[in-house]
Amino acid sequence: QVQLVESGGGLVQPGGSLRLSCAASGFTLDSYNIAWFRQAPGKEREFVAAASWSGGTDYTLSVKGRFTISRDNAKNTVYLQMNSLKPEDTAVYYCASGAYARSQRAYDVWGQGTQVTVSS
């Protein structure tokens, strides 16, 4: 069974940091493109970051320079390091595998999401 499971979300103050994890089972993550999306209350799901199987990365403008997507092949896990967090980053964060693109329709396998809340 192919599955992605996110973890690492929580409550953090503005300016703080969190590292989200996306653990894969049923396939090897380093052979696939992986992306992070997020969805805030009342808003559509939006692209955050992506990593291609060959090492390329892409970030939406609002997180560029603050967030970093990376892989740990030994743990079959992809991470999203989030620094300098802002209240606007509050959302449920999802990881997904599929095509290397910014459209959520390009991704075939999705995790269940992890909540990130940035508040003072």
Side-chain angles (χ1 to χ4, degrees), residues 5-10 19-23 36 77-79 93 95 113-114:
V5 178
E6 302 95 337
S7 62
R19 188 177 75 163
L20 305 183
S21 299
C22 176
W36 288 92
T77 299
V78 172
Y79 301 99
Y93 283 71
C95 65
T114 185

Side-chain angles (χ1 to χ4, degrees), residues 5 32 66 90:
V5 178
Y32 294 85
R66 299 189 297 122
T90 296

Side-chain angles (χ1 to χ4, degrees), residues 1-119:
Q1 183 179 22
V2 175
Q3 185 172 286
L4 296 172
V5 178
E6 302 95 337
S7 62
L11 175 65
V12 65
Q13 294 185 9
S17 298
L18 284 173
R19 188 177 75 163
L20 305 183
S21 299
C22 176
S25 61
F27 66 106
T28 302
L29 272 183
D30 65 1
S31 299
Y32 294 85
N33 308 307
I34 304 296
W36 288 92
F37 290 79
R38 65 187 182 186
Q39 187 167 23
K43 297 183 179 180
E44 296 184 6
R45 189 171 298 182
E46 66 172 343
F47 171 82
V48 177
S52 74
W53 67 268
S54 59
T57 59
D58 185 31
Y59 300 91
T60 194
L61 182 62
S62 63
V63 309
K64 190 173 297 184
R66 299 189 297 122
F67 291 11
T68 303
I69 187 169
S70 62
R71 301 172 184 263
D72 185 336
N73 293 336
K75 296 182 178 180
N76 206 28
T77 299
V78 172
Y79 301 99
L80 184 68
Q81 178 66 47
M82 306 186 295
N83 299 325
S84 301
L85 283 162
K86 305 175 181 179
E88 304 89 82
D89 296 317
T90 296
V92 177
Y93 283 71
Y94 301 87
C95 65
S97 66
Y100 186 59
R102 292 190 169 196
S103 172
Q104 62 182 300
R105 295 183 178 180
Y107 295 88
D108 303 309
V109 181
W110 291 80
Q112 296 301 304
T114 185
Q115 176 72 48
V116 172
T117 302
V118 184
S119 177

